[in-house]
Amino acid sequence: MVGGTNTSGVTVSNNTISNISYTGTGSGVAYALYANTGNAASNIIFTGNTVAGVTSAGTGTNSGLIVGGATGGVTIQKNSFSNIKNTNTVG
């Protein structure tokens, strides 16, 4: 996670992230990489990361990478995402 008000100048690179899960059935979600700084010029780089096996039984939407809020200045390049799924059968 990259966060905190006015965080800037962060590079997240060449990581392997796997088997992340949320086992609840509420609105929780699973995610591997996340940035939320509230800074429009964050200068955050996600590059060369491999994300696999992000699962949830919750009602939210899973993601390999989330950039939230008013976070700007983010570069996302050369990452690999696979097997991201939701197993919720109720809705």
Side-chain angles (χ1 to χ4, degrees):
M1 179 181 151
V2 177
T5 302
N6 296 319
T7 298
S8 65
V10 176
T11 298
V12 179
S13 64
N14 301 315
N15 296 286
T16 299
I17 302 166
S18 60
N19 301 319
I20 305 285
S21 65
Y22 169 71
T23 57
T25 56
S27 62
V29 298
Y31 54 85
L33 299 166
Y34 180 80
N36 189 348
T37 66
N39 183 351
S42 296
N43 189 29
I44 296 172
I45 301 169
F46 291 101
T47 184
N49 299 290
T50 300
V51 174
V54 178
T55 61
S56 171
T59 58
T61 302
N62 297 336
S63 182
L65 189 152
I66 297 172
V67 177
T71 304
V74 178
T75 301
I76 301 169
Q77 62 185 16
K78 300 178 183 176
N79 298 286
S80 172
F81 299 92
S82 64
N83 198 27
I84 297 172
K85 62 183 177 179
N86 189 303
T87 59
N88 182 292
T89 59
V90 179

